[in-house]
Coordinates of all heavy atoms in Angstrom, one line a residue:
L278 N -50.6 91.5 -54.0 CA -50.8 92.3 -52.6 C -49.7 92.1 -51.6 O -49.2 93.0 -51.0 CB -52.2 92.2 -52.1 CG -53.3 92.8 -53.0 CD1 -54.7 92.4 -52.4 CD2 -53.1 94.3 -53.1
L279 N -49.4 90.7 -51.4 CA -48.4 90.4 -50.4 C -47.1 90.8 -50.8 O -46.4 91.3 -50.0 CB -48.5 88.8 -50.3 CG -49.6 88.2 -49.6 CD1 -49.5 86.7 -49.6 CD2 -49.8 88.7 -48.1
T280 N -46.7 90.7 -52.1 CA -45.4 91.3 -52.6 C -45.5 92.7 -52.5 O -44.3 93.3 -52.1 CB -45.1 90.8 -54.0 OG1 -45.4 89.4 -54.2 CG2 -44.0 91.1 -54.5
S281 N -46.4 93.4 -52.8 CA -46.5 94.9 -52.8 C -46.2 95.4 -51.4 O -45.5 96.4 -51.1 CB -47.7 95.4 -53.4 OG -47.7 96.9 -53.5
V282 N -47.1 94.9 -50.5 CA -47.0 95.3 -49.1 C -45.6 95.1 -48.5 O -45.0 95.9 -47.8 CB -48.1 94.5 -48.2 CG1 -47.8 94.9 -46.7 CG2 -49.4 95.1 -48.7
Y283 N -45.0 93.9 -48.8 CA -43.6 93.5 -48.3 C -42.7 94.4 -49.0 O -41.8 95.0 -48.2 CB -43.3 92.0 -48.6 CG -42.1 91.5 -48.0 CD1 -41.9 91.6 -46.7 CD2 -41.1 91.3 -48.8 CE1 -40.8 91.1 -46.0 CE2 -39.9 90.7 -48.3 CZ -39.8 90.6 -46.9 OH -38.6 90.2 -46.3
G284 N -42.7 94.7 -50.2 CA -41.8 95.6 -50.8 C -41.8 97.0 -50.3 O -40.9 97.7 -50.1
I285 N -43.1 97.6 -50.1 CA -43.3 98.9 -49.6 C -42.7 99.0 -48.1 O -42.0 99.9 -47.8 CB -44.7 99.3 -49.6 CG1 -45.2 99.4 -51.0 CG2 -45.0 100.5 -48.7 CD1 -46.7 99.6 -51.1
S286 N -42.9 97.9 -47.4 CA -42.3 98.0 -46.0 C -40.9 97.9 -46.0 O -40.1 98.7 -45.3 CB -42.8 96.7 -45.2 OG -42.3 95.6 -45.8
L287 N -40.1 97.3 -47.0 CA -38.7 97.3 -47.0 C -38.1 98.6 -47.5 O -37.1 99.1 -46.9 CB -38.3 96.1 -48.1 CG -38.5 94.7 -47.6 CD1 -38.0 93.8 -48.8 CD2 -37.8 94.4 -46.4
V288 N -38.9 99.3 -48.5 CA -38.5 100.6 -48.9 C -38.6 101.6 -47.7 O -37.6 102.4 -47.6 CB -39.3 101.0 -50.1 CG1 -39.0 102.6 -50.5 CG2 -39.0 100.1 -51.4
L289 N -39.6 101.6 -47.0 CA -39.8 102.6 -45.9 C -38.8 102.3 -44.8 O -38.4 103.3 -44.2 CB -41.4 102.5 -45.5 CG -42.3 103.0 -46.4 CD1 -43.8 102.8 -45.8 CD2 -42.0 104.5 -46.8
C290 N -38.5 101.1 -44.5 CA -37.6 100.8 -43.5 C -36.2 101.2 -43.9 O -35.3 101.6 -43.0 CB -37.6 99.2 -43.1 SG -39.0 98.7 -42.4
S291 N -35.9 101.2 -45.1 CA -34.7 101.7 -45.7 C -34.5 103.1 -45.7 O -33.5 103.8 -45.3 CB -34.4 101.0 -47.0 OG -33.1 101.5 -47.5
L292 N -35.7 103.9 -46.1 CA -35.5 105.3 -46.1 C -35.8 106.0 -44.9 O -35.2 107.0 -44.6 CB -36.7 105.8 -47.2 CG -36.6 105.2 -48.6 CD1 -37.7 105.9 -49.5 CD2 -35.2 105.8 -49.3
C293 N -36.6 105.5 -44.1 CA -37.0 106.0 -42.7 C -36.7 105.0 -41.6 O -37.7 104.5 -41.1 CB -38.4 106.5 -42.8 SG -38.9 107.4 -44.2
P294 N -35.4 104.7 -41.3 CA -35.1 103.6 -40.2 C -35.6 104.1 -38.9 O -35.8 103.2 -38.0 CB -33.7 103.4 -40.4 CG -33.1 104.8 -40.9 CD -34.2 105.4 -41.8
R295 N -35.7 105.4 -38.5 CA -36.1 105.8 -37.3 C -37.5 106.0 -37.0 O -37.9 106.4 -36.0 CB -35.3 107.1 -36.9 CG -33.8 107.2 -37.0 CD -33.2 108.5 -36.7 NE -31.7 108.4 -36.8 CZ -30.9 109.4 -36.4 NH1 -31.5 110.6 -36.2 NH2 -29.7 109.2 -36.5
Q296 N -38.4 105.8 -38.0 CA -39.8 105.9 -38.1 C -40.5 104.6 -37.9 O -39.9 103.5 -38.3 CB -40.3 106.8 -39.2 CG -39.8 108.2 -39.3 CD -40.2 109.1 -38.2 OE1 -41.4 109.0 -37.8 NE2 -39.4 110.0 -37.8
Y297 N -41.5 104.6 -37.2 CA -42.4 103.3 -37.3 C -42.9 103.1 -38.7 O -43.1 104.1 -39.5 CB -43.4 103.6 -36.4 CG -43.1 103.5 -34.9 CD1 -43.1 104.7 -34.2 CD2 -42.7 102.3 -34.3 CE1 -42.7 104.7 -32.7 CE2 -42.3 102.4 -32.9 CZ -42.2 103.5 -32.1 OH -41.9 103.6 -30.8
L298 N -43.2 101.9 -39.0 CA -43.6 101.6 -40.3 C -44.9 102.2 -40.7 O -45.2 102.6 -41.9 CB -43.7 100.0 -40.4 CG -43.9 99.5 -41.9 CD1 -42.9 99.9 -42.9 CD2 -44.0 97.9 -42.0
M299 N -45.8 102.2 -39.7 CA -47.1 102.8 -40.0 C -47.2 104.3 -40.2 O -48.1 104.9 -40.9 CB -48.1 102.5 -39.0 CG -48.1 100.9 -38.7 SD -48.9 100.1 -40.1 CE -50.5 100.7 -40.3
T300 N -46.2 105.0 -39.6 CA -46.1 106.6 -39.7 C -45.1 107.0 -40.8 O -45.1 108.1 -41.1 CB -45.8 107.0 -38.4 OG1 -44.6 106.5 -37.9 CG2 -46.9 106.7 -37.4
A301 N -44.3 106.0 -41.3 CA -43.1 106.4 -42.2 C -43.8 107.0 -43.5 O -43.2 107.8 -44.2 CB -42.2 105.3 -42.4
L302 N -44.8 106.4 -43.9 CA -45.5 106.8 -45.2 C -46.1 108.3 -45.1 O -46.1 108.9 -46.2 CB -46.6 105.8 -45.6 CG -47.0 105.9 -47.1 CD1 -45.7 105.6 -47.9 CD2 -48.2 104.9 -47.3
L303 N -46.4 108.7 -43.9 CA -46.8 109.9 -43.7 C -45.9 111.0 -43.3 O -46.0 112.1 -43.7 CB -48.0 109.9 -42.5 CG -49.2 109.0 -42.9 CD1 -50.2 108.9 -41.8 CD2 -49.9 109.4 -44.1
Y304 N -44.9 110.6 -42.6 CA -43.8 111.5 -42.1 C -42.5 110.8 -42.1 O -42.3 109.9 -41.5 CB -44.1 112.1 -40.6 CG -43.2 113.0 -40.1 CD1 -43.0 114.3 -40.6 CD2 -42.3 112.5 -39.1 CE1 -42.1 115.2 -40.2 CE2 -41.3 113.4 -38.6 CZ -41.2 114.7 -39.2 OH -40.3 115.5 -38.6
C305 N -41.6 111.4 -43.0 CA -40.3 110.8 -43.2 C -39.3 112.0 -43.4 O -39.1 112.5 -44.5 CB -40.2 109.9 -44.3 SG -38.6 109.1 -44.5
P306 N -38.8 112.5 -42.4 CA -37.9 113.7 -42.3 C -36.6 113.5 -43.2 O -35.9 112.5 -43.1 CB -37.6 114.1 -40.9 CG -37.8 112.9 -40.2 CD -38.9 112.1 -40.9
G307 N -36.3 114.5 -44.1 CA -35.1 114.4 -44.8 C -35.1 113.6 -46.0 O -34.1 113.4 -46.6
V308 N -36.4 113.0 -46.4 CA -36.4 112.2 -47.5 C -36.3 113.0 -48.9 O -35.8 112.3 -49.9 CB -37.8 111.4 -47.5 CG1 -39.0 112.2 -47.8 CG2 -37.7 110.2 -48.5
Y309 N -36.6 114.2 -48.8 CA -36.4 115.0 -50.1 C -35.2 115.7 -50.1 O -34.9 116.6 -51.1 CB -37.7 116.0 -50.1 CG -38.9 115.4 -50.5 CD1 -39.9 115.1 -49.5 CD2 -39.3 115.2 -51.8 CE1 -41.1 114.5 -49.8 CE2 -40.6 114.7 -52.2 CZ -41.4 114.3 -51.1 OH -42.6 113.7 -51.5
S310 N -34.2 115.4 -49.4 CA -32.9 116.0 -49.5 C -32.1 115.5 -50.7 O -31.2 116.2 -51.1 CB -32.1 115.8 -48.2 OG -32.0 114.4 -48.0

Side-chain angles (χ1 to χ4, degrees):
L278 287 174
L279 290 175
T280 306
S281 179
V282 171
Y283 186 65
I285 292 172
S286 64
L287 291 178
V288 171
L289 293 178
C290 289
S291 178
L292 297 178
C293 312
R295 298 181 180 180
Q296 298 291 326
Y297 291 104
L298 185 61
M299 300 302 296
T300 60
L302 198 61
L303 300 175
Y304 178 71
C305 186
V308 72
Y309 284 95
S310 60

